[in-house]
Structure formats: C-alpha cells, structure tokens
Amino acid sequence: MKLNIKFIFYSCLGLLWLSIFSCKKLELAESDPPNVIDLFVKGTTLTDTLEFLKDGKVIGQTYSEHGEFNVKVVMEDVSAELKIRRKGQQEILSKRTISAEQKQQNIIYYFDGEKMYADFVTVNVKGFAQGEVEFTVDDRVVGSGSGKDFPVINIGVDAGQTRLLQVRKKGTTESLMNKEVKAGSSAIPWVFYFDGEKIFDKIDAGLPANPVNMLLTASFTSKLNIFRGPADLVIYEGRRSGLPYQSTATTFRIELPEDGTFSKSIEIPPFPEGAFKAYVFRIVKRGTLTELPYDVTNEILPMLPSTGFSGGSLSFTPGGAAILTISDVKEYDDWDGGTWIYFRHIDIASYFK
C-alpha cells in the first residue's frame, strides 16, 4: 500500500515538473514572428539596369529590356517604401508603397531612359515586312523588325493616358501607320504587311468553303520600270518536275490590284491522289492569257519562254489558305541572248494566324 502511494506521489510530481518545464519552453518561442510578403516585380527599361531598394538595401534588380524578379520581403511595419534607381546611381527615379496586409503583391514599371511610368501595355505585332521597320513613341525607337520577326513591344503609360505607337520604314521619319495605346488595356494585337514602301492591315486569310480546296489571295508590287498594268494572275497546272512554261493554263484567275493591296480570294482544288502535279502561276496583262504586262520595246529580244511565270510552284494545303506577296525580277541571258522576267513569291499566310 505504501509503495502504491509513493508511486502515485512521484508520478504526480513528475507530471507537474514536465508541465512547468513545457510552459517555460513556450515562453521562449518567438511571440511575434516576422511578416513576410511575396513581391513580384515586372517591367521594361529601354536603357538601364534598375535596382529596387527597401530600407536602403537592394532587394533585386532587372538586367534586361523586359526584366522581372520575385523576392520574399520582411515587413516590420504595416507598409514600406520601395525605391527605384539606375544601377550604380543615387538618384531615385520612382517610389512605390508595399503593404504588409497583402501576402502577394505586384510592382509594374516602364522606364524609357527619361521617365518612369506606373504601368505598361503590351502590343503583339504579327505579319510580314519586306525590309526593316521601326516602332516609335514620341519619336523614340522602342523596337524594330523585319520578315516575320517582330519584338513584343511594351508601351509605358500612366493612369488615364493614351499614347501613339507608330511604325515607319527604317531610315525614314514618316509614320506609315499608327496604333493608339490606352492605359488599362489588355494586350493589343497589331497585324500588317509591309511591302517595302506601304503598309496594309486589311488582311484576312479566311478558310475555303470546300474543306478540300485551298483559298488563294495575292498582292503584286512591280520593281521594274517597264511594267504596264493592270495585270492578272493566272493559275497553271503542270508536273512537279516540269518547267513552268510547259504547264497548262486553268480557268482560275485573280485580278491583281494596282495599288499593291491584296486581291479577292479564289478557291483552287487539289489534284487527284497520286498525281505528280503542281500549280504554278503566270502574270499577264489584264484579261489576256499570254500577253505580258510589260513594255519590252527596248529590251534584249527575244523574250525567253519562261518569261511571266513564277519561279517556283505553289504549296497546296487542303482546307488552308495561301497569301502570296509577289515581286518581279528581270535578267538577261548572256549565253543565248534574250530577256527573262520571272516572279518571286512568299506565302505569308502562316504569319497572320
């Protein structure tokens, strides 16, 4: 009996000691843990690497034109000031406030080398350019491109502001086309074709009514001073390995606008399965089948048989579309004598999807 009483007494004493010790352990724990927020910084700088400071210390920097970083920030107060400056300089370009109450926060900026903007709008350029074009805002170049390669363009804006993005031929100062950029807008698409001199934005590849056919439209710009329009594009049918001028004319014809804009579309059918055939085209004087739309009076004669034909066959895509941009080339045959006028084409349909 005495042993049981002693056992119970010492057990209670041990439990009391453990309770007191564990309470002291809790008192040693940090009663007010730090408040940490997740800060995401994203923006554009045209000229400089930027540093972002809190409490005089750099917490991150942007290294490239389209820069961003993510960082955990300890907040001692309900809010803090974030300062932005050029790397290696003391001048503060902008200040932003971050709050301890929001666990995830975004800081957006745009710096053009002179002014810091609170936000930016993205313009997604698609299309094709025969030659290099530049994009400008307030006569400041913000991007350039050629062929199918265009940059993603960010335009700095403040609340309620509308700015004007312009595109021009590189090396010139005249704007070819403008695009309004309004603060608060989502990403803006801008689709156009530049033929080396003019820009066209009314381009719609569309789809053929018959899904086995291909839709075809074309734009023609002559580079030769002997061109005498208007002209038509006539589709020819021939063998894949044959010479273009050995092809046979079909009834498919496109009237080519004289101002370089895109024609109305026509549908052309596929060849029978297994047929080793291809489509080529010839450019002729409007309404004719063989007459050339050129003044060849002062050219070296004769005109070679391949004159007026495309330099290669058309790629056929069932259910798809082809948008041809066509230009002409003149060459002389020094060996046999005579003149050869042929046509180069680029199918730009894929760049407008």
Side-chain angles (χ1 to χ4, degrees):
M1 185 69 176
K2 289 183 179 181
L3 288 175
N4 288 338
I5 294 174
K6 285 184 179 182
F7 176 76
I8 293 171
F9 173 77
Y10 286 118
S11 296
C12 292
L13 186 63
L15 290 172
L16 179 63
W17 182 83
L18 286 173
S19 176
I20 294 172
F21 180 77
S22 61
C23 287
K24 288 183 179 180
K25 288 282 287 184
L26 288 173
E27 289 173 1
L28 291 176
E30 191 170 2
S31 59
D32 188 17
N35 189 3
V36 179
I37 66 169
D38 193 16
L39 183 65
F40 183 72
V41 177
K42 181 179 181 180
T44 294
T45 172
L46 296 182
T47 56
D48 303 275
T49 295
L50 300 180
E51 293 180 330
F52 296 77
L53 300 89
K54 176 183 175 292
D55 300 329
K57 296 181 180 179
V58 176
I59 63 171
Q61 63 181 1
T62 53
Y63 298 91
S64 59
E65 182 177 336
H66 303 292
E68 60 184 55
F69 66 88
N70 181 237
V71 64
K72 303 289 186 183
V73 179
V74 177
M75 300 291 293
E76 293 85 2
D77 299 313
V78 294
S79 64
E81 190 175 64
L82 189 69
K83 297 178 179 180
I84 308 174
R85 71 183 183 191
R86 293 182 179 90
K87 184 177 181 179
Q89 299 189 22
Q90 296 301 314
E91 178 190 3
I92 300 302
L93 301 172
S94 182
K95 298 178 182 179
R96 306 293 175 86
T97 299
I98 52 179
S99 171
E101 296 180 357
Q102 294 178 272
K103 296 304 180 184
Q104 292 186 332
Q105 295 174 60
N106 298 323
I107 296 293
I108 306 297
Y109 71 91
Y110 183 97
F111 182 56
D112 66 6
E114 295 180 1
K115 180 179 177 179
M116 180 72 70
Y117 292 86
D119 201 354
F120 63 84
V121 176
T122 298
V123 179
N124 293 315
V125 182
K126 290 175 59 179
F128 197 86
Q130 303 272 13
E132 191 165 5
V133 294
E134 293 178 329
F135 302 92
T136 65
V137 177
D138 298 335
D139 208 36
R140 179 189 294 272
V141 176
V142 295
S144 63
S146 63
K148 62 181 178 58
D149 299 316
F150 297 104
V152 174
I153 301 173
N154 291 333
I155 307 299
V157 289
D158 289 324
Q161 186 180 28
T162 297
R163 305 190 74 192
L164 196 65
L165 174 64
Q166 299 182 319
V167 59
R168 67 191 185 191
K169 183 179 180 179
K170 186 173 182 179
T172 67
T173 58
E174 180 183 358
S175 175
L176 298 171
M177 189 176 293
N178 303 328
K179 174 71 72 174
E180 280 194 348
V181 178
K182 296 181 179 181
S185 300
S186 55
I188 299 173
W190 198 9
V191 182
F192 61 76
Y193 167 66
F194 176 60
D195 70 357
E197 296 297 332
K198 301 184 294 295
I199 276 186
F200 309 98
D201 64 344
K202 305 300 182 185
I203 304 170
D204 184 10
L207 294 173
N210 187 335
V212 302
N213 293 344
M214 183 176 77
L215 202 66
L216 177 66
T217 186
S219 166
F220 171 62
T221 302
S222 178
K223 308 293 185 182
L224 307 179
N225 59 10
I226 61 172
F227 176 72
R228 302 291 182 265
D232 290 344
L233 181 153
V234 178
I235 299 295
Y236 277 66
E237 178 184 310
R239 295 188 61 80
R240 291 183 189 175
S241 59
L243 297 171
Y245 66 87
Q246 295 174 336
S247 303
T248 303
T250 70
T251 58
F252 299 111
R253 178 186 294 263
I254 291 176
E255 291 189 357
L256 298 169
E258 294 186 69
D259 60 359
T261 55
F262 285 88
S263 69
K264 294 181 180 179
S265 300
I266 64 170
E267 290 191 25
I268 55 177
F271 293 109
E273 187 175 352
F276 196 69
K277 292 185 176 182
Y279 285 121
V280 297
F281 65 82
R282 192 181 194 189
I283 292 184
V284 297
K285 188 174 181 179
R286 175 69 49 84
T288 72
L289 192 59
T290 59
E291 190 174 347
L292 297 176
Y294 294 93
D295 180 2
V296 298
T297 304
N298 297 315
E299 296 303 313
I300 298 175
L301 299 177
M303 299 302 292
L304 301 181
S306 53
T307 291
F309 284 91
S310 56
S313 61
L314 302 179
S315 295
F316 188 91
T317 305
I323 302 176
L324 304 184
T325 61
I326 306 167
S327 60
D328 47 11
V329 179
K330 181 177 69 173
E331 292 183 358
Y332 299 113
D333 188 333
D334 295 331
W335 185 263
D336 296 322
T339 302
W340 178 31
I341 299 174
Y342 64 98
F343 297 89
R344 290 173 175 162
H345 68 273
I346 302 173
D347 183 357
I348 61 174
S350 61
Y351 310 134
F352 292 85
K353 294 179 180 178

